[in-house]
């Protein structure tokens, strides 16, 4: 039966889930993007978007309601000063979830969750895959250019003729 399953409980008690989602929302506001599991990212989007929507109206009542959820002055200030300016014309859909693949240790699906209007971070996070081999030999080869020696082939006139 699906009783009491309107949202993902994330295998946590209600108080633990609320504080975890509040902490993740604070991290998201401060860093503009976080990496987490796909299930937590989906739960965070449902939790954070109404809070972000409240930041469109910068008045005392809205600030107090948002502070009641987050309990962090710096995050509330960042939300109302900077983020609310970027999302002012957007009707909804402030967050984007990007799937990353599975985590090796426990095969959990991982995802980025980020603000749609702060996507300049996308280009910076593309990293090269690390290898176990050292790259010292190729680094030396690139650092010291090798001069190419080109030998000319003997011309057909100069070559001895076989008879």
């Amino acid at each position: 039966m699906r009783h009491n399953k309107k949202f993902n409980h994330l295998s946590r008690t209600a108080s633990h889930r609320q504080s975890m989602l509040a902490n993740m929302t604070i991290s998201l506001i401060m860093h503009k993007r976080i990496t987490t599991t796909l299930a937590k990212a989906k739960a965070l989007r449902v939790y954070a978007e109404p809070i972000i929507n409240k930041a469109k109206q910068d008045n005392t009542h809205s600030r107090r309601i948002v502070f009641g959820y987050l309990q962090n002055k710096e995050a509330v200030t960042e939300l109302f000063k900077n983020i609310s300016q970027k999302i002012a014309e957007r009707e909804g859909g402030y967050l984007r979830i990007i799937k990353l693949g599975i985590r090796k240790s426990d095969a959990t699906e991982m995802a980025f969750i980020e603000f749609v209007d702060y996507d300049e971070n996308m280009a910076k996070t593309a990293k090269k895959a690390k290898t176990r081999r050292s790259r010292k030999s190729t680094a030396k080869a690139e650092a010291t250019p090798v001069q190419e020696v080109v030998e000319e082939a003997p011309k057909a006139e100069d070559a001895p003729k076989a008879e």
Side-chain angles (χ1 to χ4, degrees):
M1 285 184 272
R2 290 192 65 250
H3 296 313
N4 201 18
K5 285 291 286 182
K6 288 190 177 184
F7 58 92
N8 191 345
H9 294 276
L10 300 173
S11 300
R12 287 164 172 79
T13 61
S15 59
H16 184 191
R17 187 173 51 252
Q18 291 299 319
S19 59
M20 181 191 67
L21 290 172
N23 286 334
M24 289 175 70
T25 305
I26 291 167
S27 296
L28 181 65
I29 289 169
M30 299 307 282
H31 300 291
K32 311 301 186 270
R33 162 190 270 190
I34 58 174
T35 304
T36 184
T37 64
L38 185 62
K40 286 181 188 174
K42 288 179 178 179
L44 179 62
R45 181 170 53 185
V46 171
Y47 181 83
E49 287 209 356
I51 294 172
I52 296 165
N53 199 23
K54 275 286 187 195
K56 284 184 169 182
Q57 301 170 349
D58 190 6
N59 53 30
T60 307
H61 182 63
S62 296
R63 283 182 178 262
R64 285 181 176 169
I65 288 175
V66 170
F67 185 77
Y69 284 104
L70 300 182
Q71 299 290 317
N72 188 314
K73 288 181 184 179
E74 291 83 18
V76 171
T77 304
E78 175 74 17
L79 180 63
F80 278 90
K81 279 190 177 180
N82 300 330
I83 295 173
S84 65
Q85 305 301 319
K86 284 210 170 192
I87 64 163
E89 68 278 351
R90 187 176 288 277
E91 292 295 321
Y94 311 113
L95 300 175
R96 170 190 302 139
I97 296 175
I98 301 169
K99 293 182 183 180
L100 295 176
I102 61 169
R103 184 165 51 190
K104 273 191 170 183
S105 62
D106 59 355
T108 304
E109 287 189 76
M110 298 299 289
F112 278 135
I113 183 165
E114 68 177 1
F115 282 99
V116 173
D117 297 320
Y118 284 90
D119 61 348
E120 63 266 4
N121 295 335
M122 286 277 287
K124 293 180 184 176
T125 58
K127 295 182 180 177
K128 292 183 180 179
K130 292 184 179 180
T131 62
R132 297 181 80 183
R133 298 180 182 176
S134 74
R135 303 249 173 157
K136 293 178 183 175
S137 60
T138 57
K140 285 184 180 178
E142 291 175 6
T144 58
V146 179
Q147 295 179 353
E148 294 183 21
V149 179
V150 178
E151 294 182 19
E152 294 183 17
K155 296 181 182 177
E157 300 169 353
D158 298 338
K161 295 182 182 179
E163 291 183 23

